[in-house]
Amino acid sequence: MISIVLVFTVILLGLMLGNKNKNEKITSLERREKTEKVSLLANSKYGESEIEIELLPIKLDDVEVIEIYTQFKSKLLETILGGNESFDDVKEDLHFVDRLEGYPFEISYSLRPRGYISEKGEIIKGVDDSTRIEVLMSITYEEYEFEDSIWVNLSSRTKSEMEVFDSALRESLENINMSNRDIEAINLPEIVDGEPVTWEINKKSKVPGVLFLIVVVTAYLLTRSYFQRTENEKNRLESIKRAYPGFASKYALLLGTGLPHRQILERMIIDYSRDERENAMYEELKKVTNEIQSGLSQTEALNNMARRCRLRELTQFVSLINQNIRKGGDNITEQLRAAATESIEIEKEETRKQIERAGTKLLFPMTIILILVFLVIMIPAFNSFSM
């Protein structure tokens, strides 16, 4: 309850801040270091007019541009260098940024020679020996344009024998491929760097993928059938539990009219069969009559039904019926009615609990809705406040 009150308090505060900032009059706009979209509301005798404008950054004079550019270049070089210690020993990727936060300059790059570093500064080609690359930078602001460059030394690293031999393999195969364009087939090298080499077509086996797919599908089918059986059994027991109060009341009523137990069961089966909806209790009573017709005693058949249903109230009810069948008694009708009345009260209590659980399940989606409402209200409010 406290959390709900707190949420509504924050939402109300957001509404108040939003309305306060929305109605606040302004006479000027502060320029930023870059172009910024601003939404304004103009009030006049003709009403309100909403206007959007791209507020241009403040224009610097020559002295200010030179002064800012000096600071900017130092910061830019530090950013480009990234995790490397210096441009004379570059082993990790560089960071080519388009602009730096807080500065009005835009940057573009070109490289000589190309093919070693990408446009974003990533090293894209292996380096056998130290390679010097010139990074040309074009830095612009309004009508101002600066050209600058950095010499970058891509340092080689020590390769293993396997890497060296792999490079020789690739180079040998590429040379044969490029120099024999006029023949239909090329002969693969049998010796590379003095080492004999045999070649095979690398056909990637699909067996692991197929086996994995079979395992996944099999596991899905097995678990699906298991959970489906579990869910069906759960639904069956829930249906019996819901039908039990009516069954007990009707059984007690028919027994009070003087009908014997077997005729009561047959009469109830006829009544249940008229209901077109699926009824698990009807199926259980049919099993009871089928077992009796197969030779089981009535008490054994009723006990089997109680074991299948696993319902405490039904087990007690069957015990009373079987006791009356074996020993007789005059007060059986009152006992059955009392059991039926108790089951009705239990059903009411269970219904009340289900309603409470349903309310609890709705708490999470309601919380999500509150958060969404909070965001919808507060984000515009904070945006207006930042203006």
Side-chain angles (χ1 to χ4, degrees):
M1 185 65 184
I2 296 177
S3 60
I4 295 176
V5 173
L6 180 60
V7 169
F8 276 107
T9 303
V10 174
I11 291 175
L12 183 60
L13 179 61
L15 283 171
M16 295 173 61
L17 289 174
N19 291 332
K20 179 180 177 181
N21 289 296
K22 182 178 180 181
N23 297 328
E24 183 180 357
K25 293 183 178 180
I26 59 173
T27 58
S28 62
L29 293 173
E30 183 179 353
R31 294 185 185 273
R32 310 289 182 180
E33 66 273 2
K34 59 182 179 180
T35 302
E36 180 182 14
K37 285 188 177 181
V38 181
S39 180
L40 300 173
L41 192 64
N43 296 286
S44 65
K45 68 177 183 178
Y46 301 105
E48 293 182 345
S49 299
E50 187 174 347
I51 301 174
E52 286 192 357
I53 181 176
E54 287 192 352
L55 187 63
L56 298 174
I58 187 171
K59 190 172 183 179
L60 306 174
D61 59 28
D62 295 347
V63 177
E64 290 174 325
V65 170
I66 297 299
E67 181 179 350
I68 292 178
Y69 178 76
T70 303
Q71 303 172 0
F72 165 79
K73 183 180 176 182
S74 175
K75 181 68 174 178
L76 176 62
L77 294 179
E78 180 182 344
T79 303
I80 292 175
L81 190 59
N84 297 285
E85 295 183 359
S86 71
F87 289 109
D88 293 329
D89 187 21
V90 173
K91 296 180 180 179
E92 299 181 10
D93 292 341
L94 301 173
H95 300 290
F96 292 164
V97 294
D98 297 331
R99 61 186 309 129
L100 289 179
E101 189 68 29
Y103 295 94
F105 302 102
E106 294 184 358
I107 317 132
S108 61
Y109 304 86
S110 60
L111 304 167
R112 293 187 303 199
R114 301 176 61 86
Y116 290 90
I117 301 178
S118 71
E119 296 179 354
K120 294 183 179 180
E122 300 168 345
I123 300 175
I124 59 177
K125 188 173 183 180
V127 182
D128 294 330
D129 299 310
S130 296
T131 304
R132 271 180 80 77
I133 297 175
E134 186 179 12
V135 180
L136 302 173
M137 299 180 296
S138 177
I139 303 168
T140 59
Y141 163 69
E142 298 287 346
E143 69 273 13
Y144 299 94
E145 184 173 353
F146 302 90
E147 298 288 343
D148 215 325
S149 65
I150 314 169
W151 282 99
V152 174
N153 189 53
L154 297 181
S155 300
S156 61
R157 62 182 180 86
T158 304
K159 292 185 177 182
S160 64
E161 293 184 0
M162 180 64 187
E163 290 176 319
V164 172
F165 185 72
D166 185 69
S167 298
L169 278 175
R170 294 174 184 275
E171 183 178 357
S172 176
L173 187 60
E174 186 65 22
N175 290 337
I176 294 174
N177 185 34
M178 295 299 296
S179 61
N180 293 277
R181 300 290 301 279
D182 55 341
I183 57 177
E184 294 182 357
I186 61 173
N187 294 320
L188 300 176
E190 297 181 356
I191 296 178
V192 176
D193 279 359
E195 297 292 334
V197 180
T198 58
W199 302 85
E200 297 176 2
I201 294 293
N202 186 12
K203 293 183 178 180
K204 294 184 178 179
S205 175
K206 296 182 180 179
V207 174
V210 173
L211 289 177
F212 176 76
L213 183 61
I214 292 174
V215 170
V216 170
V217 172
T218 304
Y220 168 74
L221 292 176
L222 291 176
T223 55
R224 178 175 176 271
S225 60
Y226 169 75
F227 285 114
Q228 189 172 6
R229 288 196 302 269
T230 304
E231 186 66 22
N232 290 341
E233 179 65 14
K234 180 180 178 182
N235 292 336
R236 187 184 73 87
L237 296 179
E238 286 293 330
S239 176
I240 293 173
K241 190 174 184 180
R242 289 192 300 267
Y244 168 71
F247 161 78
S249 300
K250 194 168 186 177
Y251 198 104
L253 180 64
L254 292 175
L255 187 63
T257 62
L259 288 176
H261 293 285
R262 185 164 182 174
Q263 290 185 14
I264 291 174
L265 293 175
E266 293 174 352
R267 174 68 179 273
M268 295 187 73
I269 289 175
I270 294 173
D271 292 342
Y272 276 125
S273 65
R274 294 171 182 169
D275 191 354
E276 296 181 355
R277 296 174 299 176
E278 292 186 6
N279 194 315
M281 182 61 76
Y282 167 68
E283 297 296 333
E284 289 297 330
L285 293 179
K286 280 185 64 178
K287 290 179 182 178
V288 170
T289 56
N290 291 337
E291 288 177 352
I292 293 173
Q293 292 173 0
S294 299
L296 281 181
S297 66
Q298 191 170 337
T299 55
E300 289 176 335
L302 288 172
N303 284 332
N304 290 340
M305 181 182 73
R307 282 192 292 269
R308 287 193 301 268
C309 295
R310 302 194 298 274
L311 184 62
R312 180 180 61 84
E313 296 87 350
L314 182 59
T315 302
Q316 294 176 352
F317 195 86
V318 167
S319 297
L320 291 174
I321 296 174
N322 288 340
Q323 183 180 358
N324 180 256
I325 293 173
R326 289 192 299 266
K327 301 180 180 180
D330 297 332
N331 62 342
I332 181 62
T333 303
E334 295 300 326
Q335 291 178 348
L336 293 180
R337 285 178 179 171
T341 302
E342 181 184 359
S343 68
I344 292 174
E345 295 298 325
I346 293 174
E347 179 67 16
K348 290 180 180 179
E349 181 67 18
E350 183 64 26
T351 303
R352 185 185 64 81
K353 291 180 179 179
Q354 289 179 357
I355 294 174
E356 292 177 354
R357 286 196 293 266
T360 304
K361 290 179 180 178
L362 288 174
L363 185 61
F364 179 73
M366 288 176 63
T367 304
I368 297 297
I369 293 173
L370 280 176
I371 293 174
L372 292 176
V373 172
F374 172 77
L375 294 175
V376 168
I377 294 174
M378 292 301 295
I379 290 176
F382 279 119
N383 289 338
S384 301
F385 184 75
S386 63
M387 283 290 298

